[in-house]
C-alpha cells in the first residue's frame, strides 16, 4: 500500500474504498444467491404452480420421490450418456486432437479449420440447434449423404435421439477445448520436445509421455468446465427433440422444465434443480482445487 | 534431408485430417448459407436452382425481424451495460485493495461462474412471480446481467491487475478522489479490457435462449433467440429458406463482434485466470 493510501487511513476511508463493490454484490445476492436459497427452501415443499392452495413442508419427500421415479432415473442416465459422449469423449478429445494437429498443419488449413470450429461455437444456441436439426432430420443432409453412399437412411432424431443431440453438442462446444489446448500446447517449451525427439522417441510416445503430462492441469480444468457447461445445456436439446421421442433424450434440465412448468410441480422440479446445482457445486469445488487459485 | 521430407509428410497428414474435420463442421453451416438464398429450400444441403434474396426480403418485416432484433438489442444492451458498470466497479477495489475478505470473495465469484444457471431458472421464475417481475424487460435484463456478472468481475479483475498502480498513486498524491482516479486514470488504461468484457458479455446474452424463454411471455417483447424458436416450433409448415435467412440475420452481429475481440480472446484466451490457473 502506498504512503498516500496509508495517509488516507481511517476506518471510514477504508470502507469507502470498498464501496464500489456494493452494486455487484447486491445484484448477486438478490438474483443469484436469493433464488438458490429459495430453491433450497421450496425443494422441501409441495408447491405447485397452479392454484393458491397452501404450501406444505414435505421434508425429503421430493427427493425420495425423485430417486424412486423411473423418469428421473432415466433423465440421470441420459444426462450421464450425454455428458460422457459429448463432453468427456467428444469435445475434449476432438479439441485436443485439433489443437495438436494445428501445430503441424499448414497455415491456410489451420486458419480455415479454426474459423469453422469457432463459428459453430459463437453462433446463438438456437441457430446451432436448428442447423443440426436440419442435418439429422429425416430427409436431412445426413440422409442425403448416406443415400449417395448407398447406406440406409433413417430418422436419426427418432432412432438415436441422444446420440444426435450429443453430436450436436460436440459440434457446438469443441471450439472451447480447442482454444484451451492450443494455449496449453503453445506454452510447452520447444526444447523439451526436441530433446525427446533426439533421444529417438516417436510421435505417439512423445505425445503420451511428454506432452500429455505437461498439460495435465489444462486437461483437468477443461474437463471440469466442459462437464459443467454440458450439465446445463437446455436450448439445444429442447429445440432439437423436446426431450423426445417419448423421454429418450430427456436430460435433467429438460426433465426439470417438464416437471416444474409443463406438469406444474414446482416443488418437485426445484428438488431436481437443487440436485443439478449440487452436482455442479461438487464439480466447481474440484475445479477450484485443481486451479489452486491465487487471489 | 530425411528430416525435412518427414516433416512435409507429417504436415500433409495433419492437413488432410484437419480438412476432414473442417468439412464435418462446414456441412451444417453450408446448409444455412445455401438455404437462405434458395426459395425452394428443404432440409438438405444442395445447390439452389435459382439464387435470390427473396427469403431475406420476406423476413425483413417488423413482425419477424425488426421487433425481435430490437428487443434483443434493448434486453442484451441494457444487461451488458449493467454488467460492465457493476463488474468494473467491483473489480477495482478487488484488484487494488488487500483485505482478509478479498480471497474468499474472489473464490465465491469463481465458484459461481461454474454453477449451472439452467438449474436456477425454476426458483428464479417462482421468485419473479412473487415480486411481479415476470414478463418485464427490465426484470429479465436484471437477471441476465446478474448471470454474467461473476465471470465479468473475474475477467475485469484480471485486466485491472495488468495495469500498474503507479499512475493512480500519482493521481492520489495530487489529491484526486477515488472516483476521479477510476474514471480519469484507470478506465482509459483498461479501455481494451472493458471492451472485451462488454463484447463477450453481449455475445453470451445475445445467444441466451432459456432465460428470456422462461421470463418473458408477451410476443411483442420476445428477443430473437425466442422468436426464432416459436417461428420454427409452432408453425405447421416451416419455410426453411426464410428460417435460414432469419438465422443469418440474427447471428451476424455476434459473429462480427467476436471477430473484433478474437485476437484478445483467442490464443491465450482471456479466460486466463479462470482456465490457466
Amino acid at each position: 500500500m502506498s504512503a498516500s493510501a496509508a495517509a488516507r487511513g481511517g476506518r471510514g476511508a477504508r470502507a469507502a474504498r470498498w464501496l464500489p463493490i456494493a452494486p455487484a454484490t447486491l445484484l448477486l445476492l438478490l438474483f443469484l444467491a436469493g433464488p438458490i436459497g429459495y430453491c433450497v427452501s421450496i425443494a422441501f415443499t409441495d408447491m405447485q404452480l397452479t392454484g393458491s392452495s397452501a404450501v406444505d413442508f414435505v421434508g425429503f419427500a421430493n427427493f425420495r420421490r425423485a430417486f424412486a421415479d423411473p423418469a428421473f432415473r432415466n433423465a440421470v442416465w441420459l444426462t450421464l450418456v450425454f455428458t460422457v459422449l459429448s463432453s468427456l469423449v467428444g469435445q475434449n478429445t476432438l479439441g485436443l486432437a485439433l489443437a495438436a494437429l494445428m501445430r503441424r498443419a499448414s497455415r491456410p488449413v489451420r486458419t480455415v479449420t479454426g474459423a469453422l470450429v469457432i463459428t459453430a461455437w459463437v453462433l446463438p444456441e438456437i441457430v446451432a440447434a436448428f442447423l443440426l436439426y436440419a442435418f439429422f432430420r429425416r430427409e436431412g443432409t445426413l440422409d442425403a449423404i448416406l443415400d449417395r453412399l448407398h447406406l440406409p437412411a433413417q430418422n436419426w432424431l427418432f432412432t438415436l435421439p441422444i446420440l444426435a443431440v450429443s453430436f450436436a453438442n460436440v459440434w457446438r462446444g469443441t471450439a472451447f477445448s480447442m482454444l484451451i489446448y492450443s494455449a496449453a500446447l503453445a506454452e510447452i517449451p520447444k526444447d523439451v520436445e526436441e530433446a525427446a525427439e533426439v533421444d529417438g522417441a516417436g510421435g505417439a510416445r512423445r505425445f503420451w509421455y511428454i506432452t500429455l503430462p505437461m498439460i495435465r492441469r489444462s486437461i483437468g480444468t477443461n474437463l471440469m468446465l466442459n462437464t459443467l457447461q454440458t450439465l446445463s445445456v437446455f436450448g439445444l436439446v429442447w429445440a432439437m427433440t423436446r426431450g423426445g421421442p417419448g423421454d429418450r433424450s430427456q436430460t435433467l434440465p429438460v426433465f426439470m422444465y417438464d416437471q416444474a412448468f409443463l406438469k406444474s410441480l414446482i416443488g418437485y422440479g426445484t428438488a431436481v434443480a437443487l440436485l443439478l446445482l449440487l452436482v455442479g457445486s461438487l464439480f466447481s469445488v474440484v475445479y477450484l482445487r485443481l486451479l489452486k487459485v491465487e487471489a | 534431408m530425411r528430416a525435412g521430407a518427414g516433416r512435409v509428410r507429417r504436415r500433409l497428414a495433419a492437413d488432410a485430417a484437419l480438412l476432414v474435420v473442417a468439412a464435418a463442421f462446414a456441412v451444417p453451416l453450408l446448409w444455412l448459407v445455401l438455404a437462405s438464398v434458395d426459395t425452394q429450400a428443404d432440409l438438405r444441403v444442395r445447390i439452389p436452382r435459382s439464387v435470390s434474396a427473396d427469403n431475406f426480403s420476406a423476413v425483413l418485416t417488423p413482425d419477424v425481424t425488426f421487433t425481435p432484433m430490437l428487443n434483443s438489442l434493448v434486453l442484451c444492451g441494457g444487461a451488458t451495460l449493467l454488467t460492465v458498470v457493476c463488474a468494473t466497479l467491483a473489480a477495482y477495489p478487488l484488484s487494488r485493495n488487500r483485505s482478509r475478505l478479498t480471497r474468499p470473495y474472489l473464490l465465491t465469484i469463481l465458484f459461481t461462474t461454474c454453477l449451472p444457471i439452467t438449474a436456477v431458472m425454476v426458483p428464479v421464475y417462482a421468485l419473479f412471480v412473487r415480486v411481479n417481475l415476470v414478463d418485464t424487460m427490465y426484470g429479465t435484463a436484471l437477471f441476465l446481467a446478474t448471470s454474467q456478472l461473476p465471470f465479468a468481475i473475474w475477467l475485469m479483475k484480471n485486466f485491472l491487475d495488468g495495469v500498474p498502480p503507479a499512475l493512480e498513486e500519482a493521481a492520489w498524491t495530487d489529491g484526486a478522489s477515488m472516483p476521479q482516479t477510476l474514471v480519469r486514470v484507470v478506465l482509459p488504461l483498461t479501455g481494451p479490457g472493458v471492451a472485451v468484457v462488454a463484447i463477450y458479455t453481449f455475445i453470451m446474452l445475445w445467444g441466451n435462449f432459456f432465460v428470456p424463454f422462461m421470463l418473458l411471455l408477451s410476443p411483442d417483447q420476445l428477443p430473437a433467440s425466442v422468436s426464432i424458436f416459436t417461428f420454427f416450433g409452432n408453425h405447421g409448415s416451416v419455410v426453411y429458406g426464410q428460417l435460414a435467412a432469419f438465422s443469418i440475420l440474427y447471428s451476424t452481429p455476434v459473429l462480427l463482434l467476436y471477430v473484433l475481440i478474437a485476437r484478445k480472446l483467442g490464443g491465450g484466451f482471456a479466460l486466463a485466470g479462470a482456465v490457466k490457473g
Side-chain angles (χ1 to χ4, degrees):
Chain A
M1 197 183 294
S2 71
S4 61
R8 304 171 153 245
R11 208 165 265 264
R14 266 197 120 145
R17 268 188 279 142
W18 283 100
L19 202 61
I21 213 171
T25 311
L26 193 69
L27 276 179
L28 287 171
L29 286 176
L30 278 180
F31 291 104
L32 214 56
I36 292 175
Y38 194 49
C39 188
V40 174
S41 72
I42 53 180
F44 297 94
T45 70
D46 58 357
M47 188 190 272
Q48 305 217 349
L49 200 56
T50 45
S52 53
S53 54
V55 174
D56 286 322
F57 180 80
V58 295
F60 283 94
N62 286 323
F63 297 94
R64 275 199 299 273
R65 173 178 174 175
F67 289 112
D69 185 353
F72 174 78
R73 278 182 289 183
N74 171 64
V76 171
W77 167 245
L78 288 175
T79 308
L80 212 63
V81 173
F82 181 58
T83 310
V84 169
L85 276 185
S86 64
S87 123
L88 287 180
V89 179
Q91 295 175 359
N92 182 59
T93 314
L94 185 60
L96 180 56
L98 286 173
L101 284 170
M102 279 183 174
R103 288 167 68 75
R104 292 180 180 174
S106 58
R107 200 187 174 81
V109 174
R110 202 163 59 206
T111 313
V112 169
T113 314
L116 285 168
V117 175
I118 288 175
T119 302
W121 182 53
V122 181
L123 281 183
E125 186 178 22
I126 290 301
V127 174
F130 181 60
L131 289 186
L132 286 138
Y133 171 84
F135 183 76
F136 281 114
R137 244 321 278 276
R138 188 173 210 49
E139 306 287 303
T141 302
L142 181 58
D143 280 352
I145 295 171
L146 291 174
D147 263 352
R148 281 278 166 85
L149 301 171
H150 301 291
L151 291 168
Q154 53 187 311
N155 189 349
W156 299 97
L157 293 172
F158 190 81
T159 51
L160 293 165
I162 194 70
L163 207 65
V165 292
S166 299
F167 182 90
N169 195 36
V170 173
W171 187 81
R172 180 169 154 71
T174 297
F176 185 79
S177 306
M178 184 184 82
L179 289 170
I180 287 183
Y181 287 133
S182 297
L185 291 177
E187 277 181 11
I188 297 179
K190 269 252 165 3
D191 48 339
V192 177
E193 288 187 314
E194 276 162 12
E197 193 168 1
V198 172
D199 288 347
R205 283 174 67 94
R206 270 206 316 275
F207 189 74
W208 188 256
Y209 289 107
I210 296 175
T211 313
L212 279 186
M214 289 194 81
I215 61 167
R216 67 174 190 282
R217 276 183 74 187
S218 296
I219 297 177
T221 51
N222 181 53
L223 283 177
M224 266 324 128
L225 294 174
N226 275 347
T227 306
L228 284 163
Q229 280 159 3
T230 304
L231 265 183
S232 58
V233 169
F234 172 82
L236 195 68
V237 179
W238 185 251
M240 280 179 77
T241 67
R242 301 216 176 181
D247 57 4
R248 298 213 333 262
S249 60
Q250 195 173 52
T251 54
L252 275 173
V254 179
F255 178 74
M256 174 194 81
Y257 176 79
D258 183 55
Q259 294 297 323
F261 295 102
L262 303 185
K263 302 205 168 68
S264 300
L265 302 169
I266 288 274
Y268 187 40
T270 311
V272 176
L274 195 60
L275 291 171
L276 207 57
L277 272 175
L278 280 178
V279 176
S281 313
L282 213 67
F283 274 102
S284 305
V285 169
V286 178
Y287 167 66
L288 292 189
R289 273 283 143 101
L290 263 162
L291 278 180
K292 295 197 188 75
V293 193
E294 286 162 35
Chain B
M1 277 317 271
R2 265 197 29 222
R7 192 161 299 160
V8 170
R9 204 164 48 231
R10 263 187 300 175
R11 187 168 71 204
L12 287 176
D15 282 355
L18 281 182
L19 285 175
V20 171
V21 178
F25 272 84
V27 170
L29 293 169
L30 203 60
W31 178 84
L32 184 66
V33 175
L34 292 176
S36 72
V37 292
D38 186 347
T39 43
Q40 278 146 29
D42 57 17
L43 289 165
R44 295 181 175 215
V45 170
R46 62 149 189 231
I47 307 295
R49 282 187 203 102
S50 62
V51 173
S52 82
D54 289 357
N55 290 325
F56 285 94
S57 45
V59 295
L60 281 172
T61 63
D63 263 5
V64 181
T65 300
F66 300 126
T67 308
M69 294 277 267
L70 191 67
N71 288 339
S72 283
L73 194 67
V74 171
L75 202 60
C76 305
T80 302
L81 191 69
L82 191 61
T83 305
V84 171
V85 170
C86 290
T88 311
L89 285 174
Y92 184 62
L94 284 170
S95 168
R96 293 302 191 255
N97 301 336
R98 289 259 150 247
S99 152
R100 269 175 301 125
L101 294 178
T102 315
R103 192 180 148 81
Y105 192 93
L106 281 168
L107 282 177
T108 312
I109 289 291
L110 194 56
F111 174 79
T112 315
T113 57
C114 296
L115 287 182
I117 288 291
T118 310
V120 190
M121 285 318 292
V122 182
V124 165
Y125 181 83
L127 198 72
F128 270 42
V129 171
R130 280 248 162 131
V131 295
N132 271 327
L133 277 176
V134 169
D135 203 25
T136 60
M137 289 279 248
Y138 68 94
T140 310
L142 278 172
F143 181 71
L144 281 172
T146 311
S147 71
Q148 287 300 312
L149 201 49
F151 189 65
I153 294 177
W154 187 259
L155 208 57
M156 202 57 224
K157 188 208 167 253
N158 280 317
F159 280 121
L160 283 174
D161 284 347
V163 177
L167 287 171
E168 294 154 61
E169 279 162 17
W172 282 4
T173 327
D174 291 344
S177 68
M178 202 195 63
Q180 283 172 333
T181 317
L182 184 59
V183 173
R184 300 257 177 80
V185 183
V186 182
L187 280 186
L189 286 171
T190 39
V194 176
V196 167
V197 174
I199 292 175
Y200 185 83
T201 305
F202 188 82
I203 291 176
M204 296 316 282
L205 295 179
W206 186 264
N208 192 310
F209 164 74
F210 199 28
V211 175
F213 176 66
M214 297 276 300
L215 299 181
L216 291 174
L217 310 167
S218 328
D220 60 320
Q221 293 199 76
L222 296 182
S225 59
V226 183
S227 76
I228 186 179
F229 175 72
T230 48
F231 182 178
F232 109 90
N234 294 344
H235 295 254
S237 60
V238 179
V239 186
Y240 291 108
Q242 292 182 14
L243 189 47
F246 180 66
S247 299
I248 288 182
L249 293 172
Y250 165 44
S251 307
T252 306
V254 283
L255 289 173
L256 291 179
L257 284 174
Y258 184 81
V259 171
L260 257 183
I261 56 162
R263 203 167 281 222
K264 280 248 173 337
L265 274 181
F269 202 63
L271 300 179
V275 177
K276 285 192 300 189

